[in-house]
Amino acid sequence: MTATGVATPTLQENLPPRGSVSWQQGIRQLFRIVSFVEVVTWIGMLTAMVFKYFINGNAMGVTIFGWAHGLTWLAYLVITTLTALTFRWRIWVWLTGCVGSGLPFITWPFEYWMMKSGRLDVK
């Protein structure tokens, strides 16, 4: 309450995360795993592209890692959205994570930033 008797709105960042502690821990762990797997599939995809276009012309690696990377990317978008809702991220933080997923190797530094900034703290 202010001096005028009007309640001030609570900032979103002051609210506790949604769900139980075990839910928060599970979402955080899943987010960290999918962030890492996304980087691994980027490495596989780019390596397969080098083989396809510069070494032997074999597209099998691109087919395999393309599927793996596509599925992991979709999973990353879903888990990033669930993580943002659970830990009450601001919209710009969520958008940064989603846009960053389209760039090679950005999901892991984004996850590191979320851990260091306290945006994945279980409460």
Side-chain angles (χ1 to χ4, degrees):
M1 291 280 224
T2 62
T4 60
V6 177
T8 57
T10 307
L11 291 175
Q12 188 176 13
E13 294 170 349
N14 293 335
L15 296 173
R18 292 179 172 93
S20 66
V21 170
S22 61
W23 170 262
Q24 295 170 31
Q25 290 171 338
I27 290 292
R28 179 180 63 183
Q29 190 64 24
L30 194 56
F31 176 70
R32 296 186 76 193
I33 290 168
V34 173
S35 297
F36 177 74
V37 172
E38 174 71 3
V39 169
V40 171
T41 61
W42 263 116
I43 292 169
M45 183 69 175
L46 294 175
T47 302
M49 289 174 70
V50 167
F51 273 90
K52 178 181 178 181
Y53 294 111
F54 299 111
I55 296 178
N56 62 10
N58 188 346
M60 182 58 73
V62 174
T63 302
I64 293 168
F65 279 103
W67 273 95
H69 176 66
L71 291 175
T72 306
W73 178 71
L74 291 173
Y76 179 80
L77 292 177
V78 169
I79 193 63
T80 299
T81 301
L82 282 173
T83 306
L85 291 172
T86 299
F87 290 98
R88 300 179 190 262
W89 292 349
R90 299 186 144 249
I91 189 111
W92 69 268
V93 175
W94 172 73
L95 282 172
T96 301
C98 290
V99 170
S101 70
L103 302 170
F105 316 119
I106 298 298
T107 57
W108 208 11
F110 178 74
E111 178 267 329
Y112 181 78
W113 175 45
M114 294 295 98
M115 288 295 290
K116 289 299 179 185
S117 67
R119 289 186 173 97
L120 292 176
D121 290 348
V122 174
K123 297 176 185 169

